[in-house]
Amino acid sequence: MFYIEVAKLLIQINNYYDKIKQKCKDYLCEPYREPDLVIEADEQLIAYGLKLFWEREHIEATKGDAEASLAPHNIYGQLPLFGALWLHAVLLEMDGEGYMVTAPSGYGKTTQARLWLKAFPDRARIINGDNPIVKMVMALWLMVHLSAVRRAIR
């Protein structure tokens, strides 16, 4: 069991395997109050995850891979209860302002982000290249990033 903090939410993760904790290392924290969310991938869900890896990727994954892949989806589904949303998008920052490009897979979000970096190399950066979480905070949208692997797309 470990705790992470994302979008001002304290999340307790009851894990079976270490891989998910490694993926969440940038968000680890000590519990300072009761958690907002408690998530866990049981053995049935992990078995389903292994099946998905095989059907979609044609690879044999470990149970740790399956748990680490599916656990964030347990978080995403509960975010609206806390005024937050998970989106399939690229989140960029330029001159202190946040910009988001959303679209289905294959429509050029990453290409668009690369064009920003090329056009504004000293002013733009990618905050999240795939799965940001957005949350309304004091009438402003707070954009954060849950993806445990930070990728600089260049």
Side-chain angles (χ1 to χ4, degrees), residues 63-96:
K63 287 184 176 185
D65 293 329
E67 179 184 51
S69 176
L70 291 173
H73 294 279
N74 289 340
I75 296 170
Y76 302 153
Q78 296 183 60
L79 288 173
L81 299 172
F82 300 93
L85 297 170
W86 166 82
L87 298 171
H88 185 204
V90 172
L91 180 62
L92 299 137
E93 183 264 331
M94 189 167 89
D95 300 333

Side-chain angles (χ1 to χ4, degrees), residues 79-120:
L79 288 173
L81 299 172
F82 300 93
L85 297 170
W86 166 82
L87 298 171
H88 185 204
V90 172
L91 180 62
L92 299 137
E93 183 264 331
M94 189 167 89
D95 300 333
E97 298 286 328
Y99 299 89
M100 190 177 323
V101 179
T102 63
S105 293
Y107 276 68
K109 295 178 301 300
T110 301
T111 301
Q112 183 63 228
R114 287 181 181 145
L115 290 171
W116 280 52
L117 293 177
K118 187 175 180 181
F120 309 106

